[in-house]
Amino acid sequence: MELANLIVIFLFGGLLAWLAEMMMENSARWVSLLTIALCSAYLWRLVGHIPAELFHINPVANQAGTWLMHHQMNWIPRFGVSFELAMDGLSLLLIVLTLFLGVVAVVSSWAEVDHHRGFFQANLLWTLAGVIGVFLALDLFLFFLFWEVMLVPMYLLIAIWGHEGKAHAAMKFFIFTQVSGLLMLLAIIVLVVLSAETLGRYSFSYFDLLQNDLSGGVATMVMLGFFVAFTVKLPGVPFHTWLPDAHTQAPTAGSVLLAGILLKTGAYGLLRFTVPLFPEAALQFAPIAMGLGAAGVVYGAVLAFGQSDFKRLVAYSSVSHMGFVLLGIFAWNHLAIQGAVMQMVAHGLSTAALFMIAGALQQRLHTRDLGAMGGLWHNMPRMGALALFFIVASLGLPGMGNFVAEFLILVGLFQSMPWMAVVAALGLITGAIYSLRLMQEAFQGKPDAHRTLPDFGPLEMTVMIAMVIGLLWLGLYPQPVLDLAQPVINSLTAEVQL
Amino acid sequence: MMTPTELYALAPFIWLSVGVIVLMLQIAFSRSLNGACWVTNLTLLVALYSMVGHDPAGIQVTPLMRIDALGLMFCAVIICGSVVTSLLARDYLKQRPAENEEFFLLLLLATLGACVLVCATHVASLLLGLELLGVALYGLIAYPEKGERSLEAAIKYLVLSGAASATLLFGFALLYAATGTMDFAILADKLDTIQVNSNPIIVLTAAAFILSGLAFKLSVAPFHMWTPDVYEGAPAPITGFLATVSKGAVFVVLLRWFIDGQLYEFRGIILGLSAVAIASMLVGNLLALRQDNIKRILAYSSIAQFGYLLVVLIACGTLTESIPLAREAASYYLLAYIITTLGATGLLTLLSSESARERDHIGDIVGLFWRRPLLSLGFTVAMLSLAGIPLTAGFIGKFYIFKIGADAELWALMSAVIVGSGLGIFYYLRLVFNMTKNPRQVHALPQQTSLEGRSVLLLLTLLILALGVYPQPLMDYLSAIL
């Protein structure tokens, strides 16, 4: 039941934050921070109780004991649905990222959100609850439930506290994910019905479904149902069009959550479900998937270069960076998957930081237009320096996590598909072009002498420095992260050989 | 000769009829809105209580009715729906002073008709129930509002419903001519021999007439034209009653006739139903997109919802083994739909109870979220349930549809369900979005409505969530009795 508590803490925390704000002005954000702190402490305790050797054992799919934690209880036995949560190194890593970015999101909403603060923090915490559920659920019904439920608070975050085009952006976000989600639901049900023939009973459990290798045309169709749902969320070309709107219109905290962790649920789904459940179909489909990934890398970069809106530019850069993840996953070898996992974490940090800077700028300048900026370094040197750091991190300068990630993906990819690697490597060059343009237009150039702007305060500096340290750590000493994910990747690649 | 057991089985119907007479006498002696409301609720509760302890295996009372678990369950649901309607209607009628007591009389009669309908196993009882329900509804639709809209709605419903009943009657006459029986169960045997021996063209024609008549009552495309106008014109509590009790009862009797009579054996009927289902999902959802009246949105949404539900009947045709699951799926889906729609229209009733005007325009709910958080949260839950988002009853209903569709391999219908649901998200969320908008000018806080109305809505919201979070008990119950 311990794992479920991680989710329950957030559900109650959200409710508490809402109520607290009604009682006392400005108390909700403290409740949020406390909730995240409580959840982190709880996770720390849980992880502390796990025997150390489990971190080196490859988790075998149908042996619950080899996972870090596993918990199962009956929920809807009528259809073989159980409340099954499990944690391995990959989910642990992503949950830690989620908790960290949760703090970043709360801090970035600190001064920005000026109405209905309690309900805002409640939605923020409920989104986190949904995301943690997605990373833990191993029953496909339960997974789908979290997958859909996390949309609702996210929708409200965009629709209520978003910017000028919020109604349109929030709706687009919801419809894209919901329709692709229904495709996945149908795919899940077909998968369960088909495996019931060999299994003799209905089961939505990941472990049971793994044993049943589908093949042929049905497998491809069912695999596509999963693939589309996850690629929409990732987002991969051509399903990416919701992303620039949603990211641009969301409040800063919403953008941080979207870019930092919600996109990662798509990558996680591909890695955890799509390939392992349908190895054969995924093998046949891999060239197309990688093609979409490479197209995303280049297309995202080209579009990013053409943007004049700070947030839109960062949003398109996400399309480009997540293209690498798609490439890494479908190259399906140790190095490439390591790179993909690394990219998930590093991109989460660097993009969250960039969105936070974008939000801070919008709050001070009331615009996101790059044309109206320029010379901001002069006005706000601390923010300028940090922006430079995160921009070079995101373009993949050695020494930061993003470089390690993209390098690993390219090396892994080169082993399986050299030409794809060549195309994807273009993304590094174009990445440098649009990133540096962002830096130049916003922070360099002639400063406006009449402008006095407040620089980052202590609270914002604290989280920013924490993200700087995180990225440097990932870049200079990535081994602990790689070690944490290694057993999972070992067992994934051992089970499935593409 | 009727045995005491059979008489006892009819107790709910008898109590309802007794209640009608008592209420009529009470109104004749002294008019009182509260009095009429309490007599109605007492009658309904007594009728509900009289259902306890019946044999779930079912008992055939005269050739006309079968009091079995399916019928009893839906009788209970219908009665509960009427309790909700009458409680909400009391506040609503208080704002519209007139001679309102007969409203409850009509409500009881309609309830009786709906209860007869869900237990009908014979053409005669089907028509009796349908007409009792329909005639009471004509009155109810035009009742409290003296406006043009409600008169138009009532006349529209009267004329079209009359035409539909005539079609239905003609269909049954043809079927009787072909088979010589009006009993659903015997119909199955007769149809079997017809299918083997001769050309089933007359049966297909009859089925087409009957299904058109019932499709009109269920308002599935292309027989849906009346729905938005009638929903809009009817007083808010009756909109809810029409959408839930009336349509639910008609679907249950359709389910009985279709499955007991084994009409799914006919390929032509299945094809026709598939076309109707796909058309409903698309038409309902597409036309709802540009509406600004919440009742009209709910009307189009119900067209689409019944399109989804028809999948259950179609699946019986392709996969005969799925019939028990089909009954279970239809029951769960209907229950979820009834609870959700009662919740959604309940909010409109509450809002309209605070003014003499129907408050059903999308502008009437702008900013409601910040003025009435709890009520709005209930409405949001209802919208999410209609949209089929997990943790709500509507999702489990949709899950059943997908499950049965996947079993029977109805890929075209499943794609239509997905497209329809995607379209549906737009208008359900649009309502939620409007509630969360900051209103331009802050209205004076409206007066509070009665405690009963608000607690009924809260209860419905909790039920939606309970059926979505922990559906196992109801699933067990349904699969055990059906």
Side-chain angles (χ1 to χ4, degrees), chain A residues 75-78 116 159 202, chain B residues 328 370 403 426 433 469 472:
Chain A
W75 181 25
I76 312 178
R78 171 91 181 83
H116 309 304
Y202 291 126
Chain B
E328 185 186 332
W370 312 118
K403 170 73 178 63
F426 177 82
F433 178 73
V469 174
Q472 181 67 25

Side-chain angles (χ1 to χ4, degrees), chain B residues 119-147:
Chain B
C119 293
T121 54
H122 192 277
V123 172
S125 45
L126 188 155
L127 288 169
L128 269 177
L130 202 59
E131 288 310 299
L132 189 52
L133 175 64
V135 172
L137 272 174
Y138 307 145
L140 282 172
I141 290 170
Y143 199 87
E145 291 275 332
K146 302 287 179 285

Side-chain angles (χ1 to χ4, degrees), chain A residues 10 28 33 72 81 84-85 97 101 138 142 158 199 215 233 286 294 300 318 336 366 390 423 447 482:
Chain A
F10 276 115
L33 281 186
Q72 186 173 23
V81 176
E84 186 177 21
L85 300 176
L97 178 73
L101 289 182
L138 275 199
L142 189 65
I158 303 177
L199 211 59
S215 54
K233 204 54 156 275
S318 287
H366 305 289
F390 289 112
V423 177
L482 297 179

